[in-house]
Amino acid sequence: MYRYRAGFRCITKILRGASGHGVVSCVDDMDVASGPFLVRAARLDHMHCVKCLVEVFQSPLEEAGVVSVRHGHEVGATPLWAAVAGGHFDVAKYLVSRGADVNAATRSSSSPLSVACSQARLDLVRLLVERGANIENTNGLGTTCLMLACRSGNPEVVRYLVGIGADVNRQKMDGRTALHECANNGRTEEAKLLLGHHARITRDLFGETPLLCASLNGQTHIVEYMISRRELVPVEDRINAIELLGSTFADKMMNAACAVLCWKTAMNERRANGIPVSTETDDPLYSKYFQELATPEQLEEIRSNGDAIGIQSMLVRARVLGYGHHATFTDVRRKGERLASAGDVKRCVVLWLHALEMQQKTLRALDLRKLLFLTPLTDLFSSMVLGNPELDDNVAYFEDVLRLFVMCSRGVEVCMAHRNPVTSQMVDFQLDSIVPLAMHLMLILTKFKPLLSPPQLLTVKEAVYRLVKLDPRDATGRGPLHLACAVGLIVRVGSPVVSTFPSSEVVSVLLETGADPCATDHCGNTPLHMLALNGEYPREILDALLSAGCHLDAVNKNGLSFGSLRASQGEELHQIVNPVRHTSLQCLAAAAIRKHGIAYKGVVQPKLEQFVDMH
C-alpha cells in the first residue's frame, strides 16, 4: 500500500480542489469542473493518482466526466480523452495499456484521435493509431482527423495520416475537404502533401474551391503555388482567384497598390486568353450606378480613391463568389450602409435590391440566405418614409418599395409551394420572417396613397391581392389581416418606434383586395379578436371589419368574443358599438343551437357547420 501513498495524496488534492471547491485550474484555461476522479486526475497529469484509482479503486476506464473547455463549453469525456486533451502522453499511454477504448468519443463525437490531431501531437496520434483508433472518425460537423491536422500546423501529422491511408477527398457537411482547411489556414506544405496524394479540387456548398478560399483569406503563398500548378486549375479559375485576391488586398489588408496590381494581372490574363468578364445582370439601373472597371487605365485612375477601390472590390467579389456567399453579403451590406450614411440612398437601394434579386434567382427555394437583405431594406424604407412627414421627398422610392413588396410576395409563394411534412418547420420559420416584413412594406405603400396616380394605386392593389390570395399563415395560424389588427407588429428604425400596428390603412387595403374578415387562427381568433386584445385601437378598423362581415358574437376556442375580451379591460360592448345593428337572425339561431346543445355536426352543410362553430 505504501507504493500508492503519492496517489492518495493526489486524490486528496483533487477532492479539496485548488480553491477548496473541488475544481482544479489548468494552465491552458481548460478546467475539470466535475465528474469521476479518474477524469480529473488524467486531465491534470497526476500519474500516481491515475494508477491508484485504476489499480486500487478499480475506477471504470470508460466512465465519462464533465470537462469544461475554453469559453465555458463543457463536454462529457472519458479519462483517455481528458489525458489527450491535456497533452499528457504518459497518462494516455498508461490508460491505453490498461484497455481504455481509443475510439470512445464525447457527445459531440470528438474522439481522442481528433483531439490529438487538432493539437498537432504526432506522438499521441501514433500511440492511438497503433492501438486501433479509427482515422476516419468524424465529429458532429463531419470534420475528419486529417482536416483537424491540416488546421494545426504540423505537416508531420498530415504526412503520417496520409501515409497510413487517410481519405484526402473526404468532405464535411458543408462540402469542404482537407485541402480547403489548408487553404483557409495558409498551410502550404500540407497542401502540397495532399495534392501529391491526389487530392481533388472541389467546391463546397458555397461554391468555394480551395484556391478561392485561399484568395478570400489572403493566403498568397497558397494562391501562388496552386496557380503555378496549371494542370490542376483551369485558366478562368486562376484568373478569378487573382481577382478575388485583389479584393482581399483592398478590403482586409487595406493595400490598394497590391489590389490594383492583382486586378491588372487578371485583366492581362483575360485579354491573353480571350476570356471576357461575364456580368450576371441585365438590370440597366444597376449597370448605371455600378459598373466594374475594364481597363488598366481605369484602375490607375482610382488607385488613390478609397471609395472607388471599395466598389470595385465589392463588384469583383460578387461576380466571383456570387451574392449567396457570406463574404459577398457582408461586403454588399457594409458598402450599402456607407452609401446611405453618405446621403447616396439611391445607390444603396439599387445595390441591395439587385443583391436580393440575384439571391432569389440563384439560391435554392428554402435557403435562409434569401432573407438577408429583406430586413435592412425594409428598415431603410421605414426610416425614409415612416420617419419622414414630408412624403414628397421620398415618393420617388415608391417603385422600389413596391418591387421589394413583390419580392416578399414571391418569397411567400415559393415557401408555400415547397411545404411538405419534411420542410414544414423550415417553411413556417421563413413565413414568420417574410410575412411581417411584407406587412411593414404594405404600411409604407399606404403612406404613398395620397401622392399616387390611379394606375399606381391599381398596381399596389394587384400586388396586395396576390399576397392575400396566397393566404399565408404564421406558426399560430394568423394571416395578414390578423397581423394588421394586432399590436405585436412594430416598425422600428434603430431604437425608437416609428409606427405601430394595428393600422387602419393596411386593414382597408386588405379588405378591399379580398381578405377574409372571419378567418380564424389556431386558437379560433378572428381579426376582431386580435383587435380586442389591444389596449387602444383605431375605431375605423372596428367599423371596417364589421362592415366587411365580421361577427361581433364570434367566439374563439376559449369561448371568448370581442365583447367579453373588451369587458376584461373594463369596456362594455354597448359603450363601443350597438350590438343589435351587427347581430343577424342567423347569428342568434347559431348561438341558440350551441347554447341548447342541439346536434348539428353532419346534419347541416359544411359551411353552415363552420358558421355555427364560430358562435
Side-chain angles (χ1 to χ4, degrees), residues 268-388:
N268 293 332
E269 286 287 323
R270 284 189 181 279
R271 189 179 297 110
N273 291 278
I275 301 175
V277 174
S278 57
T279 57
E280 298 183 21
T281 179
D282 54 0
D283 184 352
L285 188 61
Y286 181 79
S287 301
K288 173 185 175 182
Y289 286 106
F290 298 97
Q291 198 165 26
E292 191 176 336
L293 302 183
T295 65
E297 292 75 23
Q298 290 175 326
L299 288 174
E300 281 298 328
E301 290 177 5
I302 68 165
R303 180 188 288 269
S304 58
N305 187 335
D307 290 338
I309 287 285
I311 294 296
Q312 174 74 3
S313 168
M314 177 195 68
L315 295 174
V316 169
R317 185 178 285 110
R319 173 170 54 80
V320 174
L321 297 178
Y323 284 93
H325 196 280
H326 61 88
T328 305
F329 163 73
T330 303
D331 193 17
V332 171
R333 180 163 182 171
R334 185 174 63 246
K335 292 292 191 302
E337 289 171 347
R338 289 180 180 174
L339 289 170
S341 62
D344 199 350
V345 178
K346 185 60 180 179
R347 293 185 78 196
C348 172
V349 170
V350 168
L351 175 62
W352 283 354
L353 278 174
H354 173 75
L356 178 60
E357 201 160 68
M358 294 304 300
Q359 287 180 340
Q360 301 288 329
K361 288 180 180 178
T362 58
L363 298 180
R364 291 176 298 175
L366 299 180
D367 197 314
L368 291 176
R369 287 173 289 174
K370 287 186 172 185
L371 305 176
L372 293 177
F373 281 105
L374 285 175
T375 300
L377 272 166
T378 304
D379 286 344
L380 179 62
F381 289 135
S382 297
S383 63
M384 291 167 53
V385 179
L386 301 178
N388 182 10

Side-chain angles (χ1 to χ4, degrees), residues 176 179-180 182-186 208-227 233 236-253 262-263 313 316-317 320-321 325 327:
R176 293 203 162 204
L179 196 55
H180 281 89
C182 293
N184 190 61
N185 294 279
E208 242 181 74
T209 63
L211 178 56
L212 292 180
C213 183
S215 296
L216 185 61
N217 290 279
Q219 306 295 352
T220 54
H221 296 294
I222 297 280
V223 175
E224 289 171 358
Y225 172 73
M226 296 189 76
I227 286 178
V233 185
E236 188 167 6
D237 288 354
R238 294 200 302 270
I239 295 172
N240 286 337
I242 296 171
E243 291 171 334
L244 186 59
L245 183 61
S247 295
T248 303
F249 275 122
D251 289 336
K252 292 186 178 180
M253 303 179 184
C262 287
W263 293 331
S313 168
V316 169
R317 185 178 285 110
V320 174
L321 297 178
H325 196 280

Side-chain angles (χ1 to χ4, degrees), residues 101-176:
D101 184 1
V102 293
N103 290 309
T106 65
R107 287 189 294 270
S108 60
S109 301
S110 172
S111 66
L113 181 59
S114 65
V115 177
C117 289
S118 65
Q119 295 184 347
R121 288 291 300 270
L122 181 60
D123 54 347
L124 286 169
V125 171
R126 285 183 180 276
L127 170 68
L128 295 169
V129 170
E130 289 169 0
R131 295 306 178 98
N134 184 356
I135 60 174
E136 295 299 338
N137 275 343
T138 60
N139 62 17
L141 298 175
T143 307
T144 64
C145 295
L146 180 59
M147 295 174 192
L148 293 169
C150 289
R151 293 179 191 172
S152 63
N154 186 347
E156 294 305 318
V157 176
V158 176
R159 182 176 286 108
Y160 175 74
L161 291 174
V162 171
I164 59 175
D167 187 354
V168 296
N169 291 308
R170 187 87 175 265
Q171 289 182 295
K172 294 165 56 179
M173 292 177 65
D174 60 3
R176 293 203 162 204

